[in-house]
């Protein structure tokens, strides 16, 4: 079960970071490097939650997003995927840092199938840099 943690600091306010990370509109595929428009399906969205399928040609996952603006938290828990078992997850904590925000990210993966185990083996090697780069790109693209 690979787990990585990393953080990114941005000059965006926590409310702006929350808005970007929970925006499931068509710009999501352009902002997030591992999301292709062809796999982005928004099943349902509420005020503080969303049921979304996203990914790319290699891997996709359906996730239940939940967020709490006051607490500065976002979770995305996998409910279905071609690579990851249910319960895999992303956890974000948004902490004010001066006039900006520190975005702490925790990624936990439970592999499913041979391809999931192969991709999962790469997470300790490339995961932290890839996650940090993806978050930085998404926050600067919006």
């Amino acid at each position: 079960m690979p787990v990585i943690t990393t953080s990114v600091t941005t000059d965006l306010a926590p409310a702006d970071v929350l808005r970007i990370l929970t925006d499931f509109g068509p710009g999501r595929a352009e902002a997030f490097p591992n999301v292709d428009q062809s796999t982005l399906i928004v099943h349902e969205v509420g005020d503080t939650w969303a049921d979304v399928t996203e990914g790319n040609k290699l891997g996709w996952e359906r996730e239940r997003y939940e967020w709490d603006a006051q607490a500065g938290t976002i979770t995305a828990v996998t409910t279905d995927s071609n690579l990851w078992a249910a319960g895999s997850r992303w956890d974000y904590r948004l902490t004010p840092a001066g006039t900006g925000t520190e975005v702490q990210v925790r990624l936990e993966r439970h592999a499913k199938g041979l391809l999931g185990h192969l991709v999962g083996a790469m997470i300790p090697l490339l995961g932290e840099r890839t996650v940090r780069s993806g978050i930085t790109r998404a926050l600067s693209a919006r």
Side-chain angles (χ1 to χ4, degrees):
M1 168 185 76
V3 174
I4 61 163
T5 57
T6 191
S7 65
V8 171
T9 301
T10 177
D11 33 357
L12 296 170
D16 293 326
V17 174
L18 180 75
R19 179 185 47 78
I20 290 167
L21 295 178
T22 59
D23 179 355
F24 302 101
R28 189 170 186 83
E30 294 170 20
F32 287 86
N34 290 325
V35 176
D36 293 342
Q37 189 63 44
S38 63
T39 61
L40 181 60
I41 302 168
V42 180
H43 303 281
E44 282 187 88
V45 178
D47 291 338
T48 60
W49 63 273
D51 179 13
V52 179
T53 299
E54 56 191 345
N56 54 48
K57 292 176 186 173
L58 176 63
W60 59 268
E61 61 187 306
R62 186 169 181 172
E63 299 161 307
R64 168 75 179 201
Y65 279 83
E66 295 183 1
W67 55 90
D68 181 334
Q70 183 131 4
T73 59
I74 304 167
T75 61
V77 179
T78 303
T79 57
D80 192 19
S81 173
N82 68 323
L83 297 177
W84 313 118
S88 294
R89 62 187 297 131
W90 294 83
D91 294 289
Y92 301 87
R93 177 163 298 281
L94 314 179
T95 306
T99 59
T101 306
E102 180 185 13
V103 183
Q104 299 165 329
V105 184
R106 181 180 182 277
L107 171 64
E108 177 181 323
R109 292 300 195 201
H110 303 275
K112 175 177 157 182
L114 178 60
L115 186 56
H117 280 87
L118 292 172
V119 173
M122 301 302 290
I123 289 174
L125 302 172
L126 304 171
E128 184 177 343
R129 182 175 35 156
T130 301
V131 168
R132 197 172 36 247
S133 171
I135 296 296
T136 299
R137 176 179 162 184
L139 295 176
S140 63
R142 309 269 197 113

